[in-house]
Amino acid sequence: MLSVCTYPNLRGIIKLAFILCNVIDWGYSMKARYWSLAIVLILINYLIFATLFMRLVETDFTGRRATRMPEPTFTPAPAQPITIVPTPVPVTPVPTPTATRVLATPQINGGTTGDQTNSPEPAAQSVNGPELVSPGPVNIRSGPGLDYDVIGTLNTNTPMPIVGRNGDGSWWQIKIANDTLGWVSNSVVQASNTGNVPLAEASSPPQSSASVQVQPAADGPSPPPAKPQFQFEPTGWWGDTNYGLTRFLGDIKDVNGNPVNGMSVRASCGDYSVISNPSGPVGRGRYDESATWPPGFYDITVDTKPIPCLWILSVVDTDDGEFVKAVLSDSFPVQVTTEDSIIVANWRKNW
């Protein structure tokens, strides 16, 4: 015989049938529209309770004994020996001797060069040679006298070496450029160390036109006056203080004072030289730089800083400003210093 306890689902069905019978009895009194809702709710409740009941039946509630895990075994490491580190003892460094270079000392007055010694006598000092300084612009002449031609100008506070003197020591001979010599009056300069200046020979002064008497020819006119040696000659120059340029400029005129255009002036310092554009508003070059110059004016800007040197000026004939076809004047030296770096030099055309 089947047992109701063995089959829990059968007990549920009986209970469900009993509930359904009661519901049917109760349902006759309800309205027909609630029948569908009641049936659905009953089926849902049955399914929920049946499922929960089956889960409880199938669950095994017998106790399970947990297995204890064996404890880990630790093997002690062998003891390490203790190492004692000695305390470092500071070592005082001993300085190593270094060889010191001994500079050679030049000996003056023909002595040889050798190592320094412990001699208590001081080294001989060089003695400055004879020289002169001008407190202002001073003319340099071709001989010891005012009858000689002016060949240059001695700039202010510019030392110049003395190479000779005249008989009474009233004029000093100086070397101004290469082998060019000039004379300066002692009365307008300050000379020093002149005890051993040798006596220099000077050429005879040129005769003035007033002292030369020309005997007219008996049967013809008097001969024409002598022609000057150079077509152009300087009429004076002076330095101007400027710390930003090395520059030469001035005017070129004829014997009647009229401006002369189209002539160039060359300035040279050693192997370096530069030639000006043609004088006057002639213009030359890529930008026609001198097209606005005044008549007879020339200008040479060498650099934007002073270039101290004994510069040589001369009037030259050139077509392109680079190659000189002819030199039309004597070469005249002018001194450029850091105090006087702009030189104004004027020229005259003799024919």
Side-chain angles (χ1 to χ4, degrees):
M1 178 179 292
L2 296 176
S3 176
V4 177
C5 294
T6 306
Y7 299 97
N9 290 336
L10 183 58
R11 293 178 60 186
I13 294 173
I14 295 173
K15 289 182 179 182
L16 180 60
F18 178 75
I19 294 172
L20 288 176
C21 291
N22 293 330
V23 170
I24 291 172
D25 294 336
W26 172 73
Y28 285 113
S29 63
M30 297 179 63
K31 295 181 181 181
R33 66 177 177 268
Y34 294 108
W35 275 97
S36 298
L37 179 60
I39 294 171
V40 171
L41 291 175
I42 291 170
L43 292 175
I44 292 173
N45 289 329
Y46 170 75
L47 293 175
I48 292 173
F49 286 108
T51 303
L52 293 175
F53 181 77
M54 292 299 296
R55 291 286 181 92
L56 292 173
V57 172
E58 294 175 355
T59 301
D60 185 7
F61 292 99
T62 60
R64 293 182 180 179
R65 189 173 184 179
T67 304
R68 185 177 181 180
M69 298 297 293
E71 296 182 0
T73 302
F74 298 95
T75 303
Q80 299 293 332
I82 299 176
T83 303
I84 300 176
V85 180
T87 303
V89 178
V91 179
T92 304
V94 179
T96 302
T98 303
T100 302
R101 183 181 179 183
V102 179
L103 301 179
T105 303
Q107 302 294 327
I108 310 301
N109 298 329
T112 59
T113 302
D115 295 337
Q116 291 183 348
T117 62
N118 296 325
S119 175
E121 298 180 358
Q125 298 180 355
S126 61
V127 180
N128 294 330
E131 62 180 11
L132 57 84
V133 177
S134 170
V138 173
N139 290 331
I140 303 175
R141 297 183 178 272
S142 59
L146 298 178
D147 296 335
Y148 292 87
D149 295 332
V150 176
I151 61 174
T153 302
L154 187 64
N155 289 334
T156 304
N157 297 326
T158 302
M160 294 293 293
I162 300 175
V163 297
R165 62 176 176 85
N166 64 344
D168 57 0
S170 60
W171 287 79
W172 303 112
Q173 188 182 50
I174 60 176
K175 186 175 182 180
I176 52 181
N178 298 330
D179 295 333
T180 304
L181 300 176
W183 293 80
V184 179
S185 176
N186 182 50
S187 60
V188 293
V189 297
Q190 297 176 356
S192 58
N193 303 322
T194 58
N196 298 322
V197 177
L199 183 66
E201 296 181 359
S203 59
S204 300
Q207 294 181 353
S208 62
S209 58
S211 61
V212 177
Q213 296 181 359
V214 180
Q215 297 293 332
D219 298 332
S222 59
K227 188 176 182 179
Q229 181 181 2
F230 295 100
Q231 186 178 10
F232 291 86
E233 64 177 303
T235 59
W237 53 61
W238 60 92
D240 189 12
T241 300
N242 188 284
Y243 299 100
L245 291 175
T246 298
R247 183 182 180 191
F248 305 95
L249 70 159
D251 295 322
I252 303 177
K253 298 180 180 180
D254 60 13
V255 293
N256 297 320
N258 299 318
V260 177
N261 299 326
M263 304 309 302
S264 299
V265 176
R266 180 180 64 182
S268 302
C269 175
D271 297 333
Y272 174 79
S273 64
V274 59
I275 301 176
S276 71
N277 287 326
S279 59
V282 177
R284 185 175 62 195
R286 179 183 302 178
Y287 303 103
D288 204 23
E289 294 88 351
S290 60
T292 59
W293 283 357
F297 175 77
Y298 76 92
D299 192 352
I300 311 173
T301 300
V302 180
D303 205 337
T304 56
K305 61 180 180 296
I307 302 180
C309 182
L310 187 63
W311 290 81
I312 306 299
L313 301 182
S314 57
V315 179
V316 296
D317 183 14
T318 177
D319 293 332
D320 54 6
E322 295 182 3
F323 299 97
V324 175
K325 296 168 55 179
V327 178
L328 305 178
S329 71
D330 198 359
S331 298
F332 293 95
V334 291
Q335 185 72 40
V336 172
T337 64
T338 55
E339 289 78 16
D340 295 326
S341 59
I342 293 183
I343 304 297
V344 179
N346 298 324
W347 302 82
R348 181 182 66 201
K349 185 179 181 181
N350 293 319
W351 71 82

